[in-house]
Amino acid sequence: MHNFVFHNPTKILFGRDTVNAIGSETRAWGRRALLVYGQTSLKRSGLHARIVNSLREAGLELIEFGGTCSNPLLSHVREGIALAKTHGSEVIVAAGGGSVIDTAKAIGAGAVVEHDVWKFFTGKRSIKATLPVTTVLTLAASGSEMNAGMVLTNDATREKFGFGHRLLFPKTSILDPETTFTVPVDYTVYGAVDAISHVLEFYLTASDPDSPVQDRLMEGLIDNAMTACLRCMDDPCDYNGRANLMWTATLALNGLTAAGLGRVGFPMHLIEHSLSALYNVPHGAGLAVVMLGWLRAHHDLYARRIAELGRRLFRLPDGEQAASIAAQTSLCLQEWLHRVRAPTTLADLGIPARDIPRIADNTRGLARIWRLRDYPPERVAAILHLCR
Amino acid sequence: MHNFVFHNPTKILFGRDTVNAIGSETRAWGRRALLVYGQTSLKRSGLHARIVNSLREAGLELIEFGGTCSNPLLSHVREGIALAKTHGSEVIVAAGGGSVIDTAKAIGAGAVVEHDVWKFFTGKRSIKATLPVTTVLTLAASGSEMNAGMVLTNDATREKFGFGHRLLFPKTSILDPETTFTVPVDYTVYGAVDAISHVLEFYLTASDPDSPVQDRLMEGLIDNAMTACLRCMDDPCDYNGRANLMWTATLALNGLTAAGLGRVGFPMHLIEHSLSALYNVPHGAGLAVVMLGWLRAHHDLYARRIAELGRRLFRLPDGEQAASIAAQTSLCLQEWLHRVRAPTTLADLGIPARDIPRIADNTRGLARIWRLRDYPPERVAAILHLCR
């Protein structure tokens, strides 16, 4: 095990009717609040009204900033920052999925500086302070509700970059599984795939794999994401199915899985970010495709780890060669992706194979920032060819 | 899954040479520090000198309070409180295992009130403030380094009571696995047993067992405690073995395992506390014995859960009746306890069977405070008879 620091100060309120606490949890951090949310579903479900009521009852002075889309845009964040500055917002409330929470975090970071917020993402400036963020989560997927990361797409340059800083942990996140009953099947699946990918990236790229305590934790999370997703597909209002998926997605990227693994990479996300940046495909949909291609490309290089995963997760036999078990592991994962009707090829996403060079080229920027020097465009292109 | 709040603000610094950070981590909370530690091992190993140097270099004004024993005593804590008050301590540093950390927490809670600290344990007073506590952990066992609990023995009344409050989370805990290289085999085992028991109590007594995400987490922790313990016995200086055991014990009781399980009981601890209170047996040694008796007493009542554990942990077959698998699960655990040379009977602890009524009677006080109404002395006695 490598040395690590684990310090996750986010307070989680989990369960039925916890949404009503958003007012008091937010009031603890300020009086003037900016409420960030997405398109239409929050109002349609009645959740918007519940949140606004709770915030108003707690004495918060509120302005609203709706319209965040999935793969949230830098231009939209800039508008939010301007609004927060004019309003003198003291605290940001995010009500939505990872895109909304990341937008809120970026507004909170950008509202306290004079320079452009994108400079954080390109590594040109570092975060010294932020406005506090509280959240009401409505999608089990990104883990942003309990981590210090955020991802934005620069709509001018078509770059989708991620960035992390310890000041970006939300203060309180409210996770009521009932708010996810209305999430459509495809987005439920994309969320589960996102959670699985978060665990998988660390599991496979860990620089010190002698951390069985972390391995068992990660295998358990992948196992649960797969089974809970199936439960939610069978019955979208299965409370415990939704609850298990929600908590799994949160634990999948809250710092716990990576503790002790040393330097980990995010190569699947590197490639997916370019798919989303160029074609605006849902993050989880892109990941389902990239995940399989990445695994196929690494049956030999990462044979031991992929096989270990397959033996634990899919009870594949002990005896055979690791590379063969690794290939079977990919097939088992592919089978599950088919079962949940996720896309598994670039064609499923409507992306033609002739675009592969362009996609590979788009990964350059993030590969530089994330220091993934071992992922030059040629290697990315080779992986993408296995996503066909 | 039941509603829950998860909010664990303790900062963990884990790994080699992290001990040197104790000075700066402590200085963040005050200038006048009380250093709490145990008997002789801290000085013998040279760790005491390293800690004192780091604290002094960080500009802390230090007084020392050594002498904490295992099953720490109320009388000793009262001395520490008097010293902290005289000294005007602003922060408490605990360097040791769970007993030392619990002593430090109790001093921190008692130093800011006028009434006796035992009133917290008997539920007569509630905690409103505490002195901040930082820790250097030297034993993988209790989990106190990342939780809000503490346990003390009242040497006058022979009562060993536990108590929890959110203000009791340590601010920073430093976990350097190398500090545990010198832990003797028996205490290494007792620590592993303690961690296993913490998980087992929640796993088996959860009021809502439909939380597979928690189940996989808990099974993984038990599995790892068992395997890491064997590694440490084979080679006490196996860094990764020690590291995995240390992190497992921390995760086993930091609030994560219990999230969503609803009301959980601590029946094995209830009974063990009386063994420690009356005979001063090491906590983990007592737990090894009680654990087996408790399982034997519940092969029928908790058949489904014990069998689930056995199937996952020991790969017991699916087909047979749950009660039969449950009995086999106990045997597998007993086999592991024999392998690590833990005591498995009251006789192994030197406790005669004729004392059972006295032990059962001693559990009354804690059963009342912990609201374990379904554990009257007769039931406890019946379990103890299965510990013979």
Side-chain angles (χ1 to χ4, degrees):
Chain A
M1 282 175 87
H2 279 266
N3 282 18
F4 65 86
V5 177
F6 181 82
H7 188 202
N8 189 322
T10 301
K11 178 179 177 183
I12 299 289
L13 300 185
F14 190 102
R16 287 189 178 89
D17 295 325
T18 48
V19 171
N20 303 329
I22 188 63
S24 54
E25 291 296 322
T26 304
R27 185 65 187 85
W29 298 98
R31 200 178 57 78
R32 298 167 70 86
L34 181 73
L35 174 62
V36 180
Y37 53 95
Q39 308 284 325
T40 54
S41 64
L42 200 74
K43 290 197 174 169
R44 212 170 46 227
S45 69
L47 191 56
H48 178 269
R50 283 175 67 196
I51 291 169
V52 167
N53 280 347
S54 173
L55 292 169
R56 292 237 165 90
E57 275 173 24
L60 284 146
E61 188 185 296
L62 197 65
I63 56 164
E64 303 195 19
F65 182 63
T68 300
C69 55
S70 72
N71 295 317
L73 298 174
L74 174 61
S75 57
H76 179 69
V77 165
R78 284 178 180 147
E79 288 172 31
I81 291 170
L83 186 61
K85 284 181 173 177
T86 312
H87 173 243
S89 303
E90 295 162 344
V91 54
I92 318 279
V93 185
S99 300
V100 168
I101 298 174
D102 287 2
T103 297
K105 288 177 177 179
I107 293 173
V112 297
V113 293
E114 291 307 311
H115 66 76
D116 186 63
V117 69
W118 190 245
K119 291 193 173 172
F120 294 133
F121 291 81
T122 54
K124 288 181 182 150
R125 293 293 179 100
S126 66
I127 287 185
K128 303 226 166 46
T130 58
L131 296 183
V133 171
T134 60
T135 88
V136 174
L137 183 68
T138 62
L139 185 69
S142 83
S144 186
E145 65 278 8
M146 200 185 182
N147 71 36
M150 57 180 181
V151 177
L152 277 193
T153 297
N154 183 328
D155 22 352
T157 62
R158 303 314 307 168
E159 292 169 309
K160 181 179 175 182
F161 286 2
F163 173 70
H165 189 281
R166 64 182 174 78
L167 289 173
L168 294 173
F169 283 106
K171 299 300 184 187
T172 296
S173 282
I174 290 180
L175 281 61
D176 180 346
E178 288 186 343
T179 65
T180 64
F181 283 3
T182 51
V183 174
V185 172
D186 52 354
Y187 273 82
T188 301
V189 170
Y190 300 156
V193 170
D194 195 16
I196 291 169
S197 77
H198 291 152
V199 182
L200 214 50
E201 299 254 32
F202 293 171
Y203 190 93
L204 296 174
T205 67
S207 60
D208 182 356
D210 186 11
S211 304
V213 53
Q214 302 301 108
D215 287 353
R216 299 298 89 78
L217 168 67
M218 292 189 281
E219 293 150 5
L221 290 172
I222 297 177
D223 180 71
N224 199 65
M226 293 173 79
T227 50
C229 180
L230 290 167
R231 276 177 77 162
C232 298
M233 289 179 80
D234 278 351
D235 174 6
C237 299
D238 174 347
Y239 180 85
N240 278 337
R242 291 289 190 183
N244 274 282
L245 186 59
M246 198 171 209
W247 188 225
T248 295
T250 301
L251 294 178
L253 194 62
N254 77 342
L256 198 61
T257 54
L261 301 185
R263 190 173 149 66
V264 289
F266 247 112
M268 302 175 204
H269 278 70
L270 169 77
I271 303 173
E272 195 296 314
H273 278 200
S274 287
L275 298 187
S276 287
L278 294 169
Y279 307 95
N280 198 28
V281 298
H283 182 52
L287 280 169
V289 172
V290 172
M291 194 187 283
L292 283 181
W294 192 92
L295 281 171
R296 287 180 194 127
H298 295 96
H299 287 159
D300 288 314
L301 191 60
Y302 290 88
R304 208 182 63 75
R305 289 296 284 166
I306 303 176
E308 169 86 358
L309 184 73
R311 290 191 182 106
R312 294 275 180 176
L313 207 59
F314 303 115
R315 298 177 186 240
L316 295 175
D318 273 332
E320 296 173 44
Q321 268 205 316
S324 154
I325 301 290
Q328 290 176 56
T329 304
S330 294
L331 287 175
C332 289
L333 188 65
Q334 180 179 298
E335 196 177 300
W336 178 81
L337 288 167
H338 284 155
R339 200 167 155 201
V340 299
R341 300 191 293 277
T344 53
T345 65
L346 288 174
D348 288 345
L349 298 173
I351 300 173
R354 66 170 180 276
D355 283 12
I356 286 177
R358 180 188 175 217
I359 304 165
D361 191 62
N362 185 280
T363 63
R364 283 176 193 273
L366 190 54
R368 191 181 62 244
I369 291 170
W370 280 358
R371 294 182 197 165
L372 286 168
R373 291 194 193 86
D374 48 346
Y375 278 85
E378 310 81 65
R379 184 176 179 189
V380 171
I383 293 168
L384 283 165
H385 276 289
L386 295 170
C387 298
R388 289 187 302 165
Chain B
M1 281 176 86
H2 279 266
N3 283 17
F4 65 87
V5 176
F6 181 83
H7 187 202
N8 189 323
T10 301
K11 177 179 177 183
I12 299 290
L13 300 185
F14 190 102
R16 288 188 178 91
D17 295 325
T18 47
V19 170
N20 303 329
I22 188 64
S24 54
E25 291 296 321
T26 304
R27 185 63 188 87
W29 299 98
R31 200 179 56 79
R32 298 167 71 85
L34 181 73
L35 174 62
V36 180
Y37 53 95
Q39 308 283 325
T40 55
S41 64
L42 200 73
K43 290 196 173 168
R44 213 170 45 226
S45 70
L47 192 56
H48 177 271
R50 283 175 67 195
I51 291 169
V52 167
N53 281 346
S54 174
L55 293 168
R56 292 236 165 92
E57 275 174 24
L60 284 145
E61 189 186 296
L62 197 65
I63 56 164
E64 304 195 20
F65 183 63
T68 300
C69 55
S70 72
N71 295 316
L73 297 174
L74 174 61
S75 56
H76 179 68
V77 165
R78 284 178 180 147
E79 288 172 33
I81 291 169
L83 186 61
K85 285 182 173 176
T86 313
H87 172 243
S89 304
E90 295 162 345
V91 53
I92 318 280
V93 186
S99 298
V100 168
I101 298 174
D102 287 2
T103 297
K105 288 178 177 179
I107 293 173
V112 297
V113 293
E114 292 307 310
H115 64 77
D116 186 64
V117 69
W118 190 246
K119 290 193 175 173
F120 294 133
F121 291 81
T122 54
K124 287 179 183 150
R125 293 294 179 100
S126 66
I127 287 184
K128 303 226 165 46
T130 59
L131 296 183
V133 171
T134 60
T135 88
V136 175
L137 183 68
T138 62
L139 183 71
S142 83
S144 186
E145 64 279 7
M146 200 185 181
N147 71 36
M150 57 180 181
V151 177
L152 277 192
T153 296
N154 184 328
D155 23 352
T157 62
R158 301 315 307 168
E159 292 168 310
K160 181 179 175 182
F161 285 1
F163 172 69
H165 189 282
R166 66 182 173 77
L167 289 173
L168 294 173
F169 283 107
K171 299 300 183 185
T172 296
S173 282
I174 290 179
L175 281 62
D176 180 346
E178 288 186 340
T179 65
T180 64
F181 283 3
T182 51
V183 174
V185 171
D186 52 354
Y187 272 83
T188 300
V189 170
Y190 299 157
V193 170
D194 195 16
I196 291 168
S197 78
H198 291 151
V199 182
L200 213 51
E201 299 255 32
F202 293 172
Y203 190 93
L204 296 174
T205 67
S207 61
D208 182 357
D210 187 11
S211 304
V213 53
Q214 302 301 107
D215 287 353
R216 299 299 89 78
L217 168 67
M218 292 190 282
E219 292 149 5
L221 290 172
I222 297 177
D223 180 71
N224 198 65
M226 293 172 78
T227 50
C229 180
L230 289 168
R231 275 177 77 163
C232 299
M233 289 178 80
D234 277 351
D235 174 6
C237 298
D238 174 349
Y239 180 85
N240 279 337
R242 291 290 190 183
N244 274 283
L245 186 59
M246 199 170 209
W247 188 225
T248 295
T250 301
L251 293 178
L253 195 62
N254 76 342
L256 198 61
T257 55
L261 302 185
R263 189 173 150 66
V264 287
F266 246 112
M268 301 176 205
H269 277 71
L270 169 76
I271 302 172
E272 195 295 314
H273 279 200
S274 288
L275 297 186
S276 287
L278 294 170
Y279 307 96
N280 197 29
V281 299
H283 182 52
L287 279 168
V289 172
V290 172
M291 194 186 284
L292 283 181
W294 191 92
L295 280 171
R296 289 182 194 124
H298 295 96
H299 287 160
D300 288 314
L301 192 59
Y302 289 88
R304 210 182 61 76
R305 289 295 284 167
I306 303 175
E308 168 86 358
L309 183 73
R311 290 190 181 107
R312 296 273 179 176
L313 207 60
F314 303 115
R315 299 177 184 238
L316 295 175
D318 272 332
E320 297 173 44
Q321 268 205 316
S324 154
I325 302 290
Q328 291 175 54
T329 305
S330 294
L331 286 175
C332 289
L333 188 65
Q334 180 180 298
E335 197 178 299
W336 178 81
L337 289 167
H338 284 155
R339 202 167 154 201
V340 298
R341 300 191 293 277
T344 53
T345 65
L346 288 174
D348 289 345
L349 298 174
I351 300 172
R354 66 171 179 277
D355 283 12
I356 286 178
R358 180 188 175 218
I359 304 166
D361 191 63
N362 185 278
T363 63
R364 283 176 193 274
L366 191 53
R368 190 182 63 245
I369 291 170
W370 281 357
R371 294 180 198 168
L372 286 169
R373 290 195 194 86
D374 48 344
Y375 279 85
E378 310 82 66
R379 184 177 178 189
V380 171
I383 293 168
L384 284 165
H385 276 289
L386 295 170
C387 298
R388 289 187 301 163

